[in-house]
């Protein structure tokens, strides 16, 4: 019988630990480890007392969400205390696996805010999630218990869904299970000399069964009815913002089994439609918490931001299209940092592109999110994001570099980092020294102990023009934008490459004729004075440093800009500032822009959000002022889409 195989991903991610964050990225991961993400298990009951670790609190998705991000965080930072922590938790889960293969709390299942559910009614999504976390632990540690634990759990899942077919989250997120299915498949084929007992045929059959029971996103998008903002009280799984952020990768994951071009095309179809009807200038789409249209005040959920970034990383790997790298950077450099306080001790549930006040108010325009959804705090609106927030930065750092099918190395997204690989038995180190995305220059240093030949692929973003590459001081052929540039040579000793990615300002069009300013991978927003006010101090667990905060504006926000597409390069003037310890903060912004504009008195606040702006172009008799914009990711309050005058 013919051996069934998986289609190769275009790029293969490197094992956790091969990439080391440097410079600002290392500092950012440290901020996360010193903030909520690294400390949740010390005081937040849904992790500290999770049933996953033998406690009495929530026992469904929260501990797996947290582990999914804190595992890569610990190994990227090589932080002994954090590594000991995640080892203890993973060890508990592996050693408490049930005889029948079930991972975590069994028989009766506890979900936040709900009464215990009999296992038959258990939403199996959390099993997919814990497997996705555990395979990272297996990669990082080489712990030989992980593959058998994953195998036994997958066999248990197969048995479970025969009796209780996928429904709700398990159905709409079925493809997340493929991460572990393919991981085990590749482990088994790598170790085929040893008797593993795991066959590709069994795993393929399991994948087909999951696919058949799961929601078919590709079919749904072919006749997609969700082009309008979701009406109030019409929450659905298919319109759910996080489900959509996860599901954009479903077609690519499924393609690895089918090899069908239509499965790859489904990815582009889905992203194109989400952009067109719900897309934001940050590269995200709205959802509060279902798809919410183009209005810049609807906002999007933190879980959607980290899941969309992860989807882009998976798409980059499987499909190898550089546009997913452009999108990944846009989301990670803008929407991700914006939704945290600079110290990462507080986060929002819902971030708005035009966000002039973060406060608890009853009549927000959101369709299902609660009155507190946009404050910065411990668990505004709902605690999923509190647990899931860990995955954003670490997964990004772990996927900056990938291997090519011909033994080379690809830089798929850019941030200061160092990567170690082995080529033909020779250890090779490549480091990237850069303050990108706040600067245009990237300096790569390739070091090898003995001469080796391999291709180095550099992603050239679609937004750059006039990109230059120097190899050992000599100008190389001009790299083409929107493609991977290939440097195929024999590397000896130490070789320096300097890539310059010129960033020119551009106008993006927004809602109601509004505009936003983009330059390179960064979107710029008005810097608004902030007053942080403690709130919910009477609620449990809201003591410092994990308190809840409202943020109120202390300076005007209702401006129209004097800019045009034809003159934008003269209209907006950029200035660089030193890159400090906390670049994603209003005062630490490493770059700013000045632009002229006028107040628009008729543009007022409505229920805590800027009302729909007047239609552009508008006439204002207010005096012309010089305004300061900073990168969107550095702001907590902001106007990003402006009317023009
Ligand atoms: Zn969430």
């Amino acid at each position: 019988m013919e051996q069934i195989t998986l289609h190769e991903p275009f790029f293969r991610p490197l094992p956790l630990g091969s990439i080391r964050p440097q410079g600002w990225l290392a500092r950012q991961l440290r901020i996360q480890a010193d903030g909520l993400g690294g400390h949740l298990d010390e005081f937040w009951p849904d992790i500290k007392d999770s049933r996953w670790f033998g406690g009495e609190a929530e026992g469904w998705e929260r501990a797996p969400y947290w582990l999914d991000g804190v595992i890569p965080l610990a190994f990227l930072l090589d932080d002994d205390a954090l590594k000991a922590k995640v080892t203890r938790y993973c060890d508990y889960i592996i050693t408490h696996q049930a005889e029948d293969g079930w991972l975590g709390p069994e028989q009766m299942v506890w979900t936040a805010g709900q009464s215990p559910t009999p296992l038959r009614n258990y939403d199996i999504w959390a099993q997919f999630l814990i497997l996705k976390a555990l395979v990272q632990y297996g990669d990082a540690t080489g712990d030989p218990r992980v593959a058998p634990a994953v195998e036994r759990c997958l066999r248990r899942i197969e048995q479970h869904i025969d009796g209780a077919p996928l429904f709700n989250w398990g159905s709409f997120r079925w493809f997340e299970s493929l991460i572990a299915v393919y991981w085990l498949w590749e482990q088994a084929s790598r170790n085929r000399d040893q008797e593993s007992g795991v066959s590709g045929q069994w795993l393929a059959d399991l994948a087909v069964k999951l696919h058949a029971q799961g929601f078919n996103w590709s079919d749904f998008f072919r006749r997609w009815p969700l082009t309008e903002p979701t009406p109030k009280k019409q929450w659905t799984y298919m319109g759910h913002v996080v489900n959509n952020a996860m599901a954009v990768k479903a077609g690519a994951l499924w393609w690895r089994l089918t090899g069908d071009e239509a499965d790859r095309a489904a990815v582009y179809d889905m992203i194109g439609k989400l952009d067109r009807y719900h897309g934001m200038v940050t590269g995200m789409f709205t959802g509060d918490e279902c798809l919410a249209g183009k209005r810049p005040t609807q906002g999007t959920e933190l879980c959607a931001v980290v899941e969309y970034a992860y989807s882009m990383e998976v798409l980059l790997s499987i499909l190898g299209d550089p546009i997913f790298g452009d999108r990944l950077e846009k989301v990670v450099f803008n929407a991700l940092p914006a939704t945290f306080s600079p110290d990462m001790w507080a986060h929002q549930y819902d971030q708005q592109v035009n966000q002039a006040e973060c406060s608890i108010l009853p009549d927000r325009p959101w369709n299902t999110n609660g009155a507190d959804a946009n404050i910065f705090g411990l668990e505004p609106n709902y605690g999923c994001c509190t647990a899931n927030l860990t995955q954003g930065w670490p997964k990004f750092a772990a996927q900056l570099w990938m291997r090519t099918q011909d033994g080379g190395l690809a830089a798929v997204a850019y941030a200061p980092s160092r990567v170690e690989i082995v080529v033909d038995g020779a250890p090779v180190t490549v480091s990237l020294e850069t303050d990108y995305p706040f600067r245009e220059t990237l300096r790569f240093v390739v070091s090898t102990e003995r001469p080796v030949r391999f291709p180095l692929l550099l992603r050239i973003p679609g937004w750059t023009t006039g990109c230059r590459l120097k190899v050992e001081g000599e100008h190389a052929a001009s790299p083409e934008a929107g493609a991977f540039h290939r440097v195929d040579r024999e590397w000896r000793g130490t070789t320096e490459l300097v890539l310059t990615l010129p960033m020119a300002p551009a106008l993006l069009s927004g809602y109601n004729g509004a505009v936003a300013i983009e330059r390179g991978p960064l979107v710029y927003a008005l810097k608004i004075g902030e007053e942080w006010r403690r709130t919910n101090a009477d609620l449990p667990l809201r003591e410092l440093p994990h308190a809840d905060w409202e943020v109120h504006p202390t300076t005007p926000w209702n401006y129209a800009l004097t800019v045009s597409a034809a003159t934008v390069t003269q209209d907006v003037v950029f200035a660089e500032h030193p890159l400090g310890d906390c670049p994603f903060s209003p005062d630490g912004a490493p770059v700013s822009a000045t632009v002229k504009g006028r107040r628009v008195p008729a543009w007022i606040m409505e229920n805590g959000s800027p009302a729909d702006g007047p239609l552009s172009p508008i006439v204002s008799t207010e005096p012309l002022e010089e305004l300061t914009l900073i990168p969107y990711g550095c702001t907590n309050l902001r106007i990003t889409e402006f009317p023009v005058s």
Side-chain angles (χ1 to χ4, degrees):
M1 202 172 82
E2 199 183 331
Q3 185 83 16
I4 185 162
T5 54
L6 284 172
H7 292 265
E8 272 291 292
F10 195 88
F11 296 126
R12 194 166 277 284
L14 288 153
L16 201 50
S18 312
I19 299 171
R20 293 282 167 219
Q22 308 285 309
W24 72 256
L25 181 61
R27 293 198 293 279
Q28 193 62 40
L29 289 176
R30 178 42 60 192
I31 290 172
Q32 177 173 330
D34 291 343
L36 209 46
H39 291 283
L40 265 185
D41 62 314
E42 293 159 19
F43 71 94
W44 197 50
D46 287 349
I47 306 294
K48 178 172 165 274
D49 306 320
S50 171
R51 286 178 193 272
W52 282 94
F53 312 138
E56 294 290 316
E58 204 257 15
W60 187 53
E61 68 177 3
R62 293 193 176 175
Y65 261 146
W66 180 70
L67 286 173
D68 190 37
V70 83
I71 290 169
L73 179 66
F75 288 96
L76 282 155
L77 285 174
D78 200 19
D79 178 308
D80 288 335
L82 262 188
K83 284 194 293 185
K85 230 182 215 190
V86 301
T87 299
R88 195 165 71 241
Y89 293 126
C90 290
D91 202 60
Y92 187 93
I93 290 169
I94 293 168
T95 56
H96 286 75
Q97 186 168 26
E99 278 299 305
D100 64 5
W102 192 262
L103 285 168
E106 56 172 341
Q107 302 311 326
M108 297 287 276
V109 178
W110 286 259
T111 308
Q114 292 174 25
S115 42
T117 311
L119 186 60
R120 214 192 131 66
N121 298 335
Y122 172 84
D123 191 317
I124 205 152
W125 145 243
Q127 295 286 304
F128 301 164
L129 185 52
I130 194 63
L131 290 175
K132 173 174 171 248
L134 279 183
V135 299
Q136 294 179 86
Y137 181 74
D139 277 342
T141 60
D143 186 329
R145 299 172 303 169
V146 174
V150 170
E151 182 199 341
R152 291 171 58 213
C153 181
L154 287 173
R155 290 194 190 279
R156 181 67 184 83
I157 287 172
E158 184 174 35
Q159 183 203 356
H160 182 84
I161 66 173
D162 280 346
L166 296 182
F167 63 95
N168 292 1
W169 303 106
S171 169
F172 285 87
R173 299 176 176 181
W174 71 271
F175 48 86
E176 298 286 333
S177 66
L178 298 180
I179 306 286
V181 168
Y182 294 168
W183 180 87
L184 185 64
W185 191 328
E186 290 178 339
Q187 289 268 317
S189 54
R190 213 171 298 138
N191 305 330
R192 62 180 173 275
D193 307 336
Q194 300 146 29
E195 205 41 62
S196 74
V198 174
S199 75
Q201 191 59 55
W202 165 55
L203 289 164
D205 291 347
L206 173 58
V208 167
K209 192 182 282 187
L210 288 157
H211 175 260
Q213 290 191 8
F215 185 70
N216 192 324
W217 287 94
S218 314
D219 271 3
F220 178 60
F221 264 74
R222 236 168 262 142
R223 292 170 215 81
W224 189 58
L226 305 181
T227 55
E228 294 292 324
T230 309
K232 278 196 188 280
K233 300 194 170 133
Q234 291 198 15
W235 190 100
T236 61
Y237 285 100
M238 52 273 267
H240 190 270
V241 65
V242 185
N243 287 350
N244 277 271
M246 291 175 168
V248 296
K249 65 181 175 294
L253 284 163
W254 189 234
W255 169 83
R256 290 205 60 197
L257 193 63
T258 64
D260 186 342
E261 270 312 305
D263 293 322
R264 299 166 66 100
V267 171
Y268 295 88
D269 180 48
M270 201 172 164
I271 293 172
K273 285 173 177 161
L274 287 168
D275 279 348
R276 180 163 172 203
Y277 295 100
H278 306 283
M280 294 282 96
V281 294
T282 54
M284 286 300 308
F285 48 91
T286 55
D288 58 1
E289 61 189 16
C290 293
L291 299 175
K294 305 280 275 186
R295 195 175 268 129
T297 46
Q298 294 303 132
T300 201
E301 185 183 332
L302 190 159
C303 280
V305 174
V306 296
E307 294 295 350
Y308 205 47
Y310 177 65
S311 290
M312 291 303 139
E313 290 152 12
V314 171
L315 292 173
L316 259 172
S317 162
I318 298 177
L319 303 181
D321 186 334
I323 64 163
F324 301 120
D326 291 10
R327 183 65 68 100
L328 172 63
E329 289 185 352
K330 197 163 193 187
V331 170
V332 168
F333 297 150
N334 296 284
L336 177 66
T339 203
F340 290 98
S341 61
D343 64 5
M344 291 190 81
W345 271 106
H347 72 280
Q348 298 174 288
Y349 188 86
D350 188 304
Q351 72 169 290
Q352 298 162 286
V353 164
N354 279 359
Q355 177 172 284
E357 179 182 308
C358 302
S359 60
I360 302 175
L361 281 176
D363 293 315
R364 292 284 187 181
W366 300 316
N367 77 58
T368 45
N369 287 346
D372 65 343
N374 86 341
I375 67 164
F376 287 83
L378 175 64
E379 46 180 1
N381 196 58
Y382 190 67
C384 52
C385 304
T386 311
N388 197 10
L389 62 82
T390 47
Q391 105 171 286
W393 285 114
K395 296 257 180 95
F396 174 70
Q399 325 265 351
L400 292 168
W401 300 86
M402 296 186 189
R403 293 301 295 264
T404 65
Q405 290 178 5
D406 55 0
L409 186 66
V412 300
Y414 296 126
S417 54
R418 198 184 72 233
V419 56
E420 288 170 14
I421 56 166
V422 174
V423 182
D424 298 335
V428 175
T429 303
V430 183
S431 52
L432 168 55
E433 296 159 18
T434 186
D435 288 335
Y436 181 91
F438 307 107
R439 303 288 189 269
E440 298 177 337
T441 306
L442 300 96
R443 178 175 178 265
F444 301 86
V445 178
V446 182
S447 308
T448 171
E449 282 175 18
R450 61 175 170 77
V452 280
R453 186 175 190 99
F454 69 90
L456 180 68
L457 273 63
L458 305 174
R459 187 187 113 259
I460 310 300
W463 44 256
T464 193
T465 47
C467 161
R468 303 181 296 280
L469 177 66
K470 279 184 175 181
V471 181
E472 294 196 283
E474 299 282 322
H475 277 288
S478 279
E480 184 192 331
F484 279 97
H485 181 77
R486 190 178 167 93
V487 184
D488 196 350
R489 66 189 334 250
E490 188 180 73
W491 306 91
R492 298 167 168 269
T494 298
T495 311
E496 184 193 70
L497 298 89
V498 178
L499 178 67
T500 307
L501 300 173
M503 299 177 185
L507 284 191
L508 300 172
S509 51
Y511 185 71
N512 239 1
V515 298
I517 291 168
E518 175 188 61
R519 181 176 173 252
L522 299 179
V523 177
Y524 285 78
L526 181 71
K527 183 179 181 181
I528 299 175
E530 304 172 352
E531 185 198 335
W532 288 64
R533 295 184 199 159
R534 281 282 295 276
T535 187
N536 289 338
D538 51 330
L539 293 183
L541 302 172
R542 297 316 197 278
E543 62 271 24
L544 290 168
H546 36 82
D548 282 1
W549 303 90
E550 291 194 344
V551 189
H552 292 264
T554 61
T555 54
W557 56 266
N558 51 347
Y559 288 98
L561 299 186
T562 310
V563 291
S564 73
T567 57
V568 65
T569 49
Q570 295 98 58
D571 296 336
V572 193
V573 179
F574 291 87
E576 293 181 349
H577 313 288
L579 196 89
D581 288 339
C582 192
F584 291 106
S585 60
D587 296 331
V591 54
S592 63
T594 48
V595 59
K596 292 196 167 57
R598 296 176 200 274
R599 295 282 300 275
V600 182
W603 191 17
I604 55 165
M605 198 82 101
E606 202 174 81
N607 297 325
S609 298
D612 282 353
L615 268 178
S616 296
I618 59 155
V619 179
S620 168
T621 54
E622 298 293 311
L624 203 57
E625 295 180 47
E626 190 153 277
L627 309 175
T628 300
L629 312 185
I630 56 175
Y632 181 102
C634 303
T635 61
N636 302 299
L637 296 180
R638 68 187 78 90
I639 295 295
T640 316
E641 288 194 14
F642 298 85
V644 286
S645 72

